Amino acid sequence: MAYFWRIRHSHQKDSSGGKIPPMQCVGRTPNSGSELVLSEDEKSDNEDKEETELGVMEDQRSIILHLISQLKLGMDLTKVVLPTFILEKRSLLEMYADFMAHPDLLLAITAGATPEERVICFVEYYLTAFHEGRKGALAKKPYNPIIGETFHCSWEVPKDKVKPKRTAPHSPAGCHEHPMADDPSKSYKLRFVAEQVSHHPPISCFYCECKEKRLCVNTHVWTKSKFMGMSVGVSMIGEGVLRLLEHEEEYVFTLPSAYARSILTIPWVELGGKVSINCAKTGYSATVIFHTKPFYGGKVHRVTAEVKHNPTNTIVCKAHGEWNGTLEFTYSNGETKVIDTTTLPVYPKKIRPLEKQGPMESRNLWREVTRYLRLGDIDAATEQKRHLEEKQRVEERKRENLRTPWKPKYFIQEGDGWVYVNPLWKAH
């Protein structure tokens, strides 16, 4: 996972909010859920996301050493400009979409016959979601989204692949296939939109839904990072809510912290901290602990989880393993199941080609930075990135002078959180 490098942070409150102005949402009609773009223009994404797994080169190490010399332990990394050679060639908004690479597991939650089975299915999905968002072991930094930046995509999931995973067989080892549906009528459509709604603090929102399964997820997150010597640590602040409308259940969940280790040699990523999943209606909750590696010995990427029925104080499921490897689940009836995250089928995103994307859509917005990074021209990539960020600063100063708050397209502020403008639970 790469969100540890997301370093822009401020304690200022964002004043965004309000209804979206007319005509700002492309292709959107009243009560149309997330019909945000023309889906017939979407094509399967075959862009290679593997990052070159090289250590830090000598000239790059000197740049990082110079940067470190200016930092203090525990320092908030608000104003620090990181070198361009650590960029990952995708926006943070797209990285959130990549966590949805197993949509069959997400949609299978609604097929659970009981509240117990559904919360366990969600925990299984949650634990398998992180590994696919991190391509390769090397720690790199996704682009910091520009305010107003959006990312749209969808997935088509064959209906015969969506089953309660407690009983459904998994793909054979090494299969890591890319399932595709020949007939759209035999598939579920899962739509996704993300938007950067605030610059100070840097708040990202994403929403996804499957109308047919009456399931949606609404999430808002922002980051708080600090310097830890040879590591960078990032806390993910905010929460997500999974809604199963058929069962009238809401599952509120939080996200783990992330750490970039060994930043002077071969940087690598680990997750850490305790996260929670709670369903107030059913009384079920889960605690998930991402264990950081001890200084001496010990395994990396360990995770443990416990699912409890709070009214009876009964533990109904335990899990342990590695979030990017093998996970073992033990149920209250004594049954066990093993999930190997490396062999789960990956569903490619469907995304419109660049020429059909708007100017503020992630891949189009960052296309020149990405192009120069692929060419290995770090100076040109740095200049393109500087141009985008300077334009953002100029526009921000204009809004401050005019005292005009930024109004996002797809999300509105409700209390301390952000909610998609036309969510499935409000559509009729």
Side-chain angles (χ1 to χ4, degrees):
M1 192 180 277
Y3 55 54
F4 63 88
W5 281 116
R6 181 83 169 83
I7 63 168
R8 296 195 152 177
H9 170 70
S10 168
H11 293 292
Q12 294 174 288
K13 284 292 183 182
D14 183 78
S15 58
S16 308
K19 300 292 184 182
I20 53 169
M23 303 302 293
Q24 276 200 307
C25 295
V26 180
R28 182 175 172 268
T29 55
N31 296 327
S32 62
S34 57
E35 292 288 337
L36 300 167
V37 294
L38 299 174
S39 59
E40 60 264 27
D41 291 335
E42 291 179 336
K43 298 177 180 177
S44 289
D45 182 31
N46 55 9
E47 189 169 302
D48 183 18
K49 286 294 188 300
E50 291 295 335
E51 294 290 333
T52 306
E53 301 230 352
L54 298 174
V56 177
M57 297 178 182
E58 200 56 45
D59 59 335
Q60 297 174 350
R61 183 179 287 109
S62 65
I63 294 172
I64 296 176
L65 273 170
H66 176 69
L67 181 65
I68 288 175
S69 70
Q70 303 174 60
L71 305 178
K72 296 178 181 179
L73 283 178
M75 182 177 177
D76 182 9
L77 300 178
T78 305
K79 304 292 183 183
V80 180
V81 178
L82 293 176
T84 304
F85 58 75
I86 62 166
L87 291 179
E88 193 190 333
K89 300 195 289 288
R90 65 172 171 173
S91 172
L92 181 73
L93 299 185
E94 181 169 358
M95 190 192 72
Y96 289 135
D98 289 333
F99 291 146
M100 311 291 295
H102 305 308
D104 55 331
L105 296 182
L106 176 64
L107 297 182
I109 298 170
T110 60
T114 63
E116 178 180 322
E117 190 166 344
R118 290 191 291 274
V119 70
I120 290 172
C121 283
F122 183 36
V123 171
E124 290 178 3
Y125 166 74
Y126 186 94
L127 292 178
T128 59
F130 293 97
H131 79 104
E132 196 57 35
R134 172 70 258 148
K135 296 290 189 180
L138 190 65
K140 284 199 171 185
K141 169 190 174 297
Y143 306 141
N144 287 343
I146 302 294
I147 189 168
E149 178 182 335
T150 63
F151 182 80
H152 307 264
C153 67
S154 65
W155 295 264
E156 287 185 359
V157 186
K159 292 181 178 180
D160 60 0
K161 298 288 185 182
V162 178
K163 301 168 184 173
K165 290 297 171 182
R166 191 159 169 179
T167 55
H170 287 288
S171 303
C175 186
H176 210 59
E177 62 191 49
H178 292 71
M180 300 293 290
D182 297 325
D183 182 357
S185 67
K186 296 180 181 177
S187 299
Y188 295 117
K189 186 92 163 182
L190 184 67
R191 292 194 160 281
F192 177 97
V193 59
E195 181 176 14
Q196 192 71 7
V197 299
S198 170
H199 182 47
H200 294 301
I203 303 174
S204 304
C205 298
F206 65 86
Y207 172 84
C208 67
E209 73 171 28
C210 177
K211 288 183 180 179
E212 201 169 351
K213 296 292 283 181
R214 301 186 67 210
L215 169 151
C216 61
V217 179
N218 190 103
T219 304
H220 67 276
V221 289
W222 58 287
T223 53
K224 184 175 182 180
S225 56
K226 64 180 178 180
F227 176 60
M228 302 166 63
M230 290 298 100
S231 301
V232 174
V234 173
S235 301
M236 300 295 286
I237 301 167
E239 66 181 25
V241 182
L242 165 70
R243 287 176 171 86
L244 308 180
L245 302 187
E246 179 184 347
H247 306 289
E248 298 181 341
E249 293 171 355
E250 296 183 4
Y251 298 81
V252 180
F253 60 92
T254 56
L255 295 164
S257 298
Y259 302 90
R261 307 295 193 191
S262 307
I263 58 179
L264 272 181
T265 53
I266 301 178
W268 58 282
V269 188
E270 69 173 339
L271 304 181
K274 181 186 291 187
V275 301
S276 62
I277 298 170
N278 289 289
C279 181
K281 178 183 177 182
T282 65
Y284 283 96
S285 66
T287 301
V288 180
I289 301 175
F290 292 85
H291 302 268
T292 55
K293 183 183 180 300
F295 193 76
Y296 293 109
K299 292 183 177 181
V300 294
H301 308 312
R302 284 183 57 238
V303 63
T304 55
E306 192 174 88
V307 184
K308 181 185 286 188
H309 183 241
N310 296 301
T312 58
N313 203 31
T314 305
I315 295 171
V316 298
C317 178
K318 287 187 175 184
H320 66 90
E322 294 82 42
W323 57 264
N324 60 354
T326 301
L327 297 160
E328 182 174 334
F329 296 82
T330 302
Y331 307 105
S332 55
N333 62 2
E335 291 180 6
T336 61
K337 183 179 73 174
V338 174
I339 297 178
D340 184 351
T341 63
T342 65
T343 63
L344 289 173
V346 175
Y347 290 74
K349 303 187 294 287
K350 298 194 75 174
I351 185 169
R352 285 168 300 117
L354 285 176
E355 62 270 16
K356 294 194 176 182
Q357 292 187 19
M360 292 302 290
E361 293 188 57
S362 295
R363 288 196 185 177
N364 199 13
L365 181 67
W366 294 96
R367 66 192 299 174
E368 290 302 302
V369 180
T370 300
R371 182 167 73 89
Y372 284 118
L373 284 175
R374 286 197 175 120
L375 292 171
D377 191 337
I378 301 301
D379 290 341
T382 301
E383 178 57 27
Q384 292 293 328
K385 174 174 173 287
R386 188 200 63 76
H387 172 73
L388 286 174
E389 292 171 344
E390 179 58 27
K391 183 181 177 184
Q392 177 178 228
R393 284 189 284 269
V394 169
E395 291 176 351
E396 188 173 26
R397 284 194 293 269
K398 283 182 183 177
R399 289 194 299 273
E400 287 177 356
N401 291 337
L402 295 172
R403 297 185 178 181
T404 304
W406 174 260
K407 290 189 177 182
K409 277 188 180 182
Y410 302 124
F411 293 86
I412 55 175
Q413 196 166 10
E414 289 190 1
D416 294 330
W418 290 79
V419 177
Y420 176 57
V421 291
N422 196 22
L424 199 58
W425 69 86
K426 291 184 180 178
H428 299 290

